[in-house]
Amino acid sequence: CLMVSTILMVSYRNKSGFSQYATALYHYGLLYFENRVDETQSLPDVFDRAPLTTEQLLHNETPASEPRTPLSVSVAGEESLSRYGTYTNRGTVGELFTRIALDQELGRERAIEAAAGWGDDTLTTVATDDGPGFVWVTRWDAAEDADQFEAAIEDFGDRRPETVTSGDRSLSTTFEVDRPSADVVVVYIGSESLSETLSADADGEHVTIDPRD
């Protein structure tokens, strides 16, 4: 088991981007089970309380000991957003992917620091006339955690190319940040028109994305 763990660690550290993320799930998954399985906790017990988020996976926690911070994201209907874009799907990024993504530009130490305190998030894909974009709503355990992430994602965006090529198209990769509350950071990724035409409002755990008036 130690040999497998060592091989996974070396493989994980030698990769980057999506390849590193895919390997990281196995690397941290094995570490998690090694840490949780002992004389007082059997394998079935670990599975019964298996982590539901990568935050729990990274920090050797369970859903009961480190629950997700409540977050509910709603967007205006397609009709009201038709001239700005159409929301197509949603998903969760998580602390692990956030850490690995930031690591690509900011280095491992700062990435770990900036991703710590993750509470929950929702990533929504937006199809616009200027190409695909994303609205990433994040909620943090404390305002200080949100401050660290906001500063890091702004520096990350500054270091990324302004456009990327996909097939025969040149797509914008602008990063713009909105702070609707102390513990919520919203990141608009894609065309500059996203942050210019959409706005975020937060009321506790509820975040609403609407077209600007």
Side-chain angles (χ1 to χ4, degrees):
C1 193
L2 177 62
M3 180 181 295
V4 174
S5 178
T6 302
I7 292 172
L8 283 173
M9 182 182 69
V10 172
S11 178
Y12 159 68
R13 293 289 174 82
N14 287 336
K15 294 181 184 296
S16 62
F18 285 104
S19 296
Q20 187 181 52
Y21 178 69
T23 306
L25 292 173
Y26 292 99
H27 168 61
Y28 286 108
L30 181 57
L31 290 179
Y32 182 89
F33 279 98
E34 287 178 345
N35 290 329
R36 303 297 295 186
V37 176
D38 54 29
E39 294 180 357
T40 61
Q41 193 169 25
S42 67
L43 191 59
D45 291 333
V46 176
F47 275 106
D48 287 341
R49 293 183 288 177
L52 300 177
T53 69
T54 56
E55 177 189 39
Q56 296 159 8
L57 183 71
L58 288 169
H59 302 289
N60 195 29
E61 301 284 358
T62 67
S65 65
E66 186 62 41
R68 297 172 85 126
T69 301
L71 175 65
S72 171
V73 178
S74 61
V75 297
E78 289 187 9
E79 184 177 350
S80 63
L81 282 174
S82 59
R83 61 194 174 108
Y84 305 110
T86 301
Y87 288 90
T88 55
N89 59 62
R90 300 190 200 180
T92 299
V93 174
E95 181 177 342
L96 177 57
F97 189 89
T98 301
R99 177 192 290 190
I100 290 174
L102 293 175
D103 183 13
Q104 309 309 304
E105 299 293 342
L106 305 181
R108 185 169 182 268
E109 184 174 334
R110 189 177 180 194
I112 292 174
E113 183 179 87
W118 177 94
D120 201 353
D121 69 56
T122 297
L123 181 70
T124 304
T125 306
V126 184
T128 73
D129 292 340
D130 298 320
F134 303 92
V135 180
W136 184 15
V137 180
T138 66
R139 191 177 186 206
W140 299 83
D141 292 339
E144 293 78 7
D145 300 318
D147 291 340
Q148 286 194 135
F149 172 72
E150 180 180 14
I153 199 67
E154 286 179 337
D155 288 346
F156 176 87
D158 289 342
R159 300 182 188 188
R160 299 289 294 174
E162 293 184 358
T163 59
V164 296
T165 301
S166 177
D168 59 353
R169 300 183 65 188
S170 181
L171 305 176
S172 175
T173 57
T174 300
F175 283 72
E176 298 291 342
V177 176
D178 193 3
R179 191 76 178 267
S181 70
D183 61 353
V184 172
V185 180
V186 178
V187 186
Y188 300 99
I189 308 169
S191 169
E192 290 183 8
S193 63
L194 283 179
S195 61
E196 293 172 353
T197 57
L198 300 177
S199 66
D201 292 306
D203 181 10
E205 67 186 76
H206 304 289
V207 179
T208 304
I209 307 295
D210 285 307
R212 294 186 184 274
D213 295 332

